[in-house]
Amino acid sequence: MNIAMIIAGGTGNRMHQDIPKQFLTVNEKPVIVYTLEAFQKHPAIDEIIVVCIEGWEQILWAYVRQFNITKMVTVASGGASGQESIYNGLKELEKSHTADDIVLIHDAIRPMVSEEIISDCINKAVEFGSAIAVIPCAEAMLVSENQMDSQQIYNRDYLKRTQTPQGFRLGKLLDINERALDAGIRNSVASCTLMIEMGEQVHFCKGSEKNIKLTTVEDIDIFKALLLAKRAEWLKD
C-alpha cells in the first residue's frame, strides 16, 4: 500500500498572515487542497493522512468533503516540531498498516507536486527503501561563518536541494524515529536529515523547480503564476 502523509502542522510564521499558510486561499481554493488533489488524482496512492495543526481539524474535514478528497482516511495531531508531527502521523498509521507499506511524506505547502514526481518517489522507495526528491544546486555557493561576507566557495556539484515527497517503508521510518528519540534527537530538519543523522543512506528521486515550498508572500505570487503558466510547444523537455 502507498500512503501519502501530508504534513500540515506548522503555523507559518514567516508568511506573516493571520491563519496558517496551508489554509490560505489562492484562486478560491485553499493551498492544502491543491496538495491533497495531487495525491487524490494519482492512481498509485491508496490513502492519504494529514498531520494537522491543532484547532484546524474540522476545517480540514470540511474541505475534504467539499473538494471530494475520498482517499483521505484520518487526521493526526501536529507536534511542536516537524519531526514530532511526522512521528505522530507514523504512530497513527502503525495502528492499521504494515511495516512494508510505503509512506510518502509531503509538505502541505508544496501544492505543485506532479504525478511524475510522486510516481518516481514511489518507485525508488520500493526499489531502494528510501526516496528523497531533489534538484541540482545551480547557484554559486559561498561559505560564511558571520553571515556577512565570505572568502570561501563550496563546490555545488556536491550539493542537492531537497524537497518532498520523501518516501520510506513505514516500519523503517518508525524504527528510525524511535531510535532518534532515544538518542535525544528531537528537531531534525527533515526525514532525510534524520536518516543521515542516524547513520542511514538515502537515495534520490525526481524533484522539480516548480515543486516550490510556500514559505513567504513572494512564494504565493510565484505559485499563482505557475497555476497560469503553460509551456511553449517548441520548448524541449
Side-chain angles (χ1 to χ4, degrees):
M1 180 174 285
N2 300 317
I3 308 144
M5 182 191 294
I6 310 302
I7 306 302
T11 57
N13 292 332
R14 285 174 288 182
M15 190 73 76
H16 304 296
Q17 302 301 307
D18 295 328
I19 66 174
K21 54 192 173 184
Q22 58 268 33
F23 290 100
L24 290 174
T25 298
V26 176
N27 295 353
E28 300 183 352
K29 186 186 293 186
V31 167
I32 193 170
V33 172
Y34 288 96
T35 306
L36 290 170
E37 285 179 336
F39 290 92
Q40 170 73 25
K41 293 174 182 177
H42 196 286
I45 293 295
D46 300 299
E47 292 183 2
I48 300 170
I49 176 177
V50 175
V51 183
C52 187
I53 186 171
E54 185 178 359
W56 287 81
E57 297 89 347
Q58 293 307 312
I59 294 172
L60 173 62
W61 278 115
Y63 287 149
V64 165
R65 292 188 293 270
Q66 180 182 356
F67 292 94
N68 198 32
I69 309 298
T70 59
K71 292 181 182 179
M72 170 100 157
V73 294
T74 191
V75 174
S77 298
S81 65
Q83 181 181 332
E84 185 177 331
S85 290
I86 290 170
Y87 183 61
N88 289 350
L90 295 173
K91 293 299 288 183
E92 185 66 32
L93 288 177
E94 186 184 29
K95 298 175 184 177
S96 56
H97 296 80
T98 71
D100 284 335
D101 286 340
I102 298 294
V103 181
L104 270 60
I105 300 170
H106 188 72
D107 301 320
I109 51 173
R110 287 191 188 270
M112 293 294 291
V113 61
S114 68
E115 180 175 333
E116 184 179 13
I117 289 174
I118 295 170
S119 295
D120 196 48
C121 189
I122 293 171
N123 293 337
K124 292 296 196 309
V126 169
E127 182 177 0
F128 298 110
S130 64
I132 312 302
V134 300
I135 55 176
C137 184
E139 299 81 9
M141 303 303 295
L142 304 181
V143 178
S144 177
E145 293 185 5
N146 62 13
Q147 307 303 307
M148 296 175 62
D149 53 42
S150 176
Q151 288 184 306
Q152 182 181 354
I153 62 173
Y154 195 92
N155 189 341
R156 66 186 180 187
D157 293 338
Y158 295 151
L159 300 175
K160 293 290 186 182
R161 293 161 55 197
T162 65
Q163 301 179 333
T164 62
Q166 300 185 5
F168 309 90
R169 295 198 183 277
L170 174 59
K172 179 71 170 183
L173 198 52
L174 259 171
D175 176 64
I176 289 293
N177 272 266
E178 289 173 346
R179 288 200 284 120
L181 291 175
D182 290 341
I185 300 173
R186 299 182 178 277
N187 198 22
S188 195
V189 174
S191 292
C192 59
T193 60
L194 185 65
M195 283 282 178
I196 290 172
E197 287 176 274
M198 295 301 294
E200 298 289 327
Q201 184 180 47
V202 295
H203 292 80
F204 298 150
C205 61
K206 182 179 179 61
S208 170
E209 292 282 1
K210 290 183 178 180
N211 186 26
I212 62 170
K213 186 176 183 180
L214 306 185
T215 303
T216 67
V217 173
E218 288 79 9
D219 295 329
I220 294 289
D221 295 335
I222 296 170
F223 176 42
K224 288 180 178 179
L226 287 171
L227 288 173
L228 296 173
K230 183 179 179 181
R231 181 176 296 179
E233 292 181 1
W234 57 268
L235 283 172
K236 297 178 181 178
D237 290 328

